[in-house]
Amino acid sequence: MSSYALGTPQKAFPGAYIQTPAVNKFQTRQPNPRPNPALSQQQNALQYQGQDVQAGGQKPGVEDLQPIARGAKAVNEALTEESRYPDLDSYIGQGISSEYEANTQSAWAPFQKVKMHTIPDRIFEQYNRAQVSTIMGLFADFNHAWVAIDNALYLWDYTHPNPDLVSFEEQPHTITAVRLAVPRPGVFMPSVVRILVVATTAEMILIGMSTQPAPHGGSSVALYSLKMSMPIKGLDVTVIEGSASTGRVFFSGNSSDDVYEFAYQQEERWFQNRCTKVNHTSKGYSTLTPSTFWGSKARREIVVQMVVDDTRKLLYTLSNRSTIRTFYIKDNGGLDLVITKPLGQTLSNVGHMTSQSELISPSMKLVSISAITANEATKTHLMTTTSTGCRIFMSATSSYGYYSSSSSAPTSMQVQHVKFPPAENSSSQPYQASTSTQMTTYSNNPTINTSSRALNPTRTAVRYAPGYFLAFVAREPQAGTDLLFLSGPDTARIAQPQDQARLTKYTELALWLNLGSRAEDIGLATGPFSAGPSPVGFGNELAVQFDKPTSQIAVLTNTGVHMLRRRRLVDIFAAALRLGGGDEGLEGEVKKFIRQYGRDETASTALAVACGQASDVTSDSRLARIQDPDILEHARKAFIEYGGKPLFNENSMLDQSVPAIDLVRPSPRHKGLSLYISRLVRSIWKAPIMIEGVTPSGGLAILSSVSMNKLQDISLDLTKLKEFLSVNKSFIEGLAGPEALGNVNTKQEEISLQAEHRALHALVVLIDNIIEGIAFVLVLYDEKIEEIVLSLANETRQQVRDLSYEGLCTTAIGKSLAKDLVKAIVNRNISSGSNVETVAEALRRRCGSFCSTEDVVTFKAQEYVKRGSEAGPESEVCREYLNESLRLFLQVAGSLSMEQLGWVVEHYVALQFYAGSIQLCLEKAKESDRGNRALTWIQENRPQGDKRQEAFESRRRCYELVHYVIRAIDQSRTETADVLDGHLTPSGKRREEAADQINTSEDEVFQTDLYDWYLSENRQDRLLEVESPYVTAYLKRRSEDDIAHADLFWRYYVQNGQYQDAAVIQLELAKSEFKLSLDQRIEYLGNAKTNASTTKPGIRRSIRNEVLRGISDLLDVANIQSDLLQRLKGDSRITADRRPAVIQELDGSILPLSVLFNTYCEAAHYFDLCILIYEAADHRVASDIKATWQNLLERVHAEAEVQDNGPEPYEMVAETIRSLGTKLGLSETMFPVGTLLPMLKRYAFNYQPNARPETWVLDVFIDLQVPFETIWAILENMFYNDEQPFQGRNRRFIGNDMVYIARLWLQDSIRGNGMLYGGEDSAYAVSQMLHLIMQNGLDEGRLEECQNLRMRIETMLR
């Protein structure tokens, strides 16, 4: 494209570049990042020199890559380069253009007609019965066409030779419009993949549509009545458009320019039907447009086209007055008009870009609009086509620049670029489609032609990504036929601009096609084009020409459906080779290709044709691969003879630090090969080999990110490439082998050839690896992959989940994970009883790099293990199989992974082959550390951070399996005896053989590790069973600085019945300076108390009692300290900086009682803990105890009163008394009931007079099982003492309590079948006291209870 900004000079100034664009504040242009094509070695040399000057003499980095890494780097560089394909905005900037490629040969045509599908005769039969109207259209993405005849709608598969008609005739009104839309999510059943929106003269109807694959390869559709419709009488709907992302449906009619929405939902709601008509533009909409148009009285304005851009949430409308309106589709269901662009404004914008042109004038109309999505362009939003054939590209802008986000609405729209029609000349006359398939292209004019009427009048037009333009020109309106003008971007030219100093030109290839009839509809039969998710790289058709189906466009006319196919560059090259004929013609075509697209692209395309990638339409209208031997041979010659040469850049050799071979740039042939490989594998290269999902039942589902057919196709193409390189390696410079060095003349040529060989060999190795990698994935999915993945370790499973095809084929971790998967496959086949040798051999044959010779030996050994398992552990045949498997395993012990070794050991143990398990583990440990570095590390006291520690850890993993065997031996010993009837049993013999392997082992590291393992793996019982003085000395020495060994020490004494010694050690541990928490010390003391309490002959009672008393006293202190610690952790009075120090001091060594009392408990007013400290310290001063209880009572009451929504104060007081009473065991000294009961009664009277029940104080002591006679005596004293506040009438409160206690005491006496109140004297005294209480006065309820109770006592005393 040639783009001219305002202010750009049209002539060359001295010292200036021609056509340098002016500065544009809205757009920053970047030169195309891809390199210029290399037309000659001299040009390459100049290019290198320029790079050296720009680099400032910097030395290139030294590469030391393995072949596979080098090949992967080349492919990644090719993929990166192709991802930088210029975005649409870079060649459609502000300005005008009219570039069309100069070629008159049909071989270079960008499109070709594939076939025309005729309209079925049954449709014509129905058409002849039409009375009112007939309209036609396409559902091209489903290969279906439709026709609406009066009130009936018919659909048919136009690709089928004799299709069935799918009809909808259930309504009586004339159909005015039909549109296929995507339904709103969740409204219909999943089988309804599309909805037909049918507009009639009276109503709009929604019809469900489902699809199924048809036997002939297309799709069959079925229609369903959804019972959804709404009246639209008077609107005369002719335009309908749907949003694919939201399922919303918009429409307009011939009655006005209003935009409506067909709102539908699953169920009716209050004040809202299932289907509703919403007018989004009636409110003030008409005030936005003038009543006159270009000075004359305007006709009624209506909408003639709607287009939705879901990527930006925009709806565009085009009216019959050529006014473009932009609506913002809101998430809440709204639709806001944000931009109105009358034709006058459009003309004004264009006028700033070019001088007066008769093609852009008030007399022309805008005939169509096409949205350009955000994926394709950032600045360009819309293309509109004029009736004169001009394409006007527009950009929506907001207040802060170009509109690029869908989260807000744009505010204005400006013309960005104008593409004028091609020039008129004699070659522009189209060929008749019925007699020839030859296409005609247009010449490239040196100047911009702004007056060509080649596309005038354009009736309608459409644009498809990445720039396919189709215009229907009605030069003879009376004839009822259209001429179709097609153009598409010259992708290879845009990707490889001829001049880096100039902006990329918008170059197109174009052709004419005479349809012979009038076009009714047009549609994209293939999926929307996309080579990438973002504008940069989106339009690169070269990158996907082997990866995605070629775009096909269906054009419906009144005679049939014409199928047009976009031709790939590889197809054009093959056709050019065919057209070139002999060697001279071939040379001309190849050189022409090199001039236009460069040597790199030429080499890649020639290689693709030689490998059979080109396609063409056959004489019977089929699309088939080109297998013509002449064309394939011509392509082979082009790749070999025109692939260029490597270039040795001597200018970069500044010193000898960089190898000369690294200064060689490989040939364009190498670049073409890497391009071709990258285009074959681009869809899988970064894709994961698997995706985890969930089955409907909740199980694991493993899915391939790439279809199996796609993988097989890629593998087949790579295999053809491999065969091509193998067959022609003697002709390809760099693959010919050492004999090619005999043809070099200079040292520079020799170095260049070596570098070329290194680069090409890397790609050959990469091809082999990718083929094997794909084969491995195909094998993997032939198995039950879910079971295989679940059998992997969690870490390995995560790595496999993240593994891409690139990682699998090119990295060491990929190969390692593949081997893990191979092992999982084999293990699964072993467990299922399959022949392992067959599976292993198949894996080695199909993907040898993933299954080596050592792997095959390992699998054979595993097979012997499986056969031994089938024979049974007691049979002699089993022993023979196991011995043979051990022999094989010992051969490959060094290559066994720990997973494999673990599998072997597990099966050996199951078959009681203990000695073999230990022998194999020790051999594996030896092979992993042949230098015996682990032993020297141990002898030097195991220095941390030493590299030899890794060797020890490697050996220890093997020893851990020996430990597993030892555990299994111990387990088997509990099941079967070693000796029976004086003879050694078979099981005993096997255990003895295992013991011999352990005891006779010369592995010093193993012997040293054995005792450590007994301790580290909690096998202390095994160590303690060893009767050796070394055990005691070992434990005593290690326990001095290791708590774990100290624990084992006292357990050793317990196991040997020396409980007193164990208790002493535990007591010392509780007092020790080890970093033990307080809870751990309490646990030691508890265990020590138990051990010290155990009697055993030989231990004096006085010594035992002394130890036991010391333990108990310390345990009491520790418990108090634990309660204090928990209390202080939640005490808000402690500052944040003080709290860690307090916790650290208390959660450690057991502190003296004086420290706990004076430093913490008394100072913090933890009076309950103070009482416990009195008890532990045997402090018996009654006044201190009483004062502390009184303080405790007051503090609990105060804390309860400040709590919101907490328990009542009396409830907290009661719970505190109960808790302390339980802990103190109702100690007469520390829990003086005679003091506490009156204290609580006074508290209840003064502070909790309304507490319920009234007897809560008595209930506390009853719950603590204080005897009733004790409570009665205390209450009796309180009644007689007449103390405050229970004086006068207040004495009745004591009386009430005494009645309550007397009743409960009586019930307890009766329930226990004991004597009444403990005896007759006591009962008589209670009765007399009740009489006295009655005389003194009671509450009304208690008085009656007291009378009844006294009468009952008197009765029972009789």
Side-chain angles (χ1 to χ4, degrees), residues 709-938:
N709 291 336
K710 181 67 174 178
L711 289 175
Q712 291 170 352
D713 291 342
I714 295 174
S715 179
L716 179 61
D717 291 337
L718 288 171
T719 303
K720 290 180 179 178
L721 174 59
K722 176 183 176 181
E723 294 172 353
F724 174 85
L725 296 175
S726 177
V727 171
N728 296 280
K729 66 179 181 180
S730 59
F731 306 104
I732 300 174
E733 184 176 332
L735 290 180
E739 59 273 11
L741 292 175
N743 300 325
V744 299
N745 299 318
T746 64
K747 184 64 175 178
Q748 287 79 2
E749 291 182 3
E750 180 182 351
I751 295 174
S752 298
L753 185 60
Q754 291 173 350
E756 180 78 357
H757 172 74
R758 183 179 69 170
L760 290 176
H761 173 69
L763 292 177
V764 171
V765 173
L766 177 64
I767 293 170
D768 287 336
N769 277 36
I770 298 176
I771 293 174
E772 286 198 357
I774 293 176
F776 173 72
V777 173
L778 293 174
V779 170
L780 189 63
Y781 280 95
D782 286 341
E783 301 286 334
K784 292 186 177 179
I785 189 170
E786 288 81 6
E787 296 180 7
I788 295 172
V789 172
L790 288 175
S791 67
L792 300 173
N794 290 335
E795 181 179 358
T796 304
R797 177 178 170 185
Q798 180 60 42
Q799 290 176 328
V800 170
R801 186 188 298 117
D802 298 336
L803 183 64
S804 65
Y805 283 88
E806 177 191 9
L808 174 67
C809 301
T810 65
T811 64
I813 185 64
K815 289 296 179 69
S816 176
L817 293 175
K819 287 184 177 293
D820 291 336
L821 290 169
V822 168
K823 295 166 189 173
I825 292 174
V826 173
N827 291 337
R828 178 188 167 276
N829 281 273
I830 291 175
S831 62
S832 63
S834 302
N835 190 319
V836 177
E837 290 190 43
T838 303
V839 176
E841 188 61 29
L843 285 169
R844 190 190 64 79
R845 185 176 62 255
R846 296 180 63 178
C847 40
S849 61
F850 298 98
C851 186
S852 63
T853 303
E854 290 79 8
D855 294 332
V856 174
V857 173
T858 303
F859 298 152
K860 289 182 179 179
Q862 290 176 325
E863 177 71 12
Y864 281 122
V865 175
K866 185 192 74 170
R867 293 179 182 178
S869 301
E870 295 172 350
E874 302 300 332
S875 66
E876 191 64 27
V877 176
C878 175
R879 296 295 112 184
E880 294 177 358
Y881 281 136
L882 293 180
N883 287 327
E884 181 62 21
S885 70
L886 177 61
R887 183 185 67 82
L888 294 175
F889 279 131
L890 290 175
Q891 292 178 6
V892 295
S895 64
L896 289 176
S897 67
M898 291 308 300
E899 290 80 7
Q900 288 174 315
L901 184 62
W903 182 90
V904 176
V905 170
E906 181 180 356
H907 284 75
Y908 276 1
V909 168
L911 298 173
Q912 298 184 2
F913 194 35
Y914 307 124
S917 301
I918 296 172
Q919 183 181 356
L920 180 59
C921 291
L922 295 180
E923 182 66 21
K924 170 63 178 176
K926 178 181 177 181
E927 289 294 325
S928 66
D929 180 28
R930 293 187 177 184
N932 215 7
R933 295 183 300 162
L935 179 59
T936 60
W937 179 72
I938 292 175

Side-chain angles (χ1 to χ4, degrees), residues 198-211:
V198 179
T200 70
T201 55
E203 61 181 349
M204 288 184 72
I205 306 169
L206 293 187
I207 304 171
M209 189 177 84
S210 65
T211 63

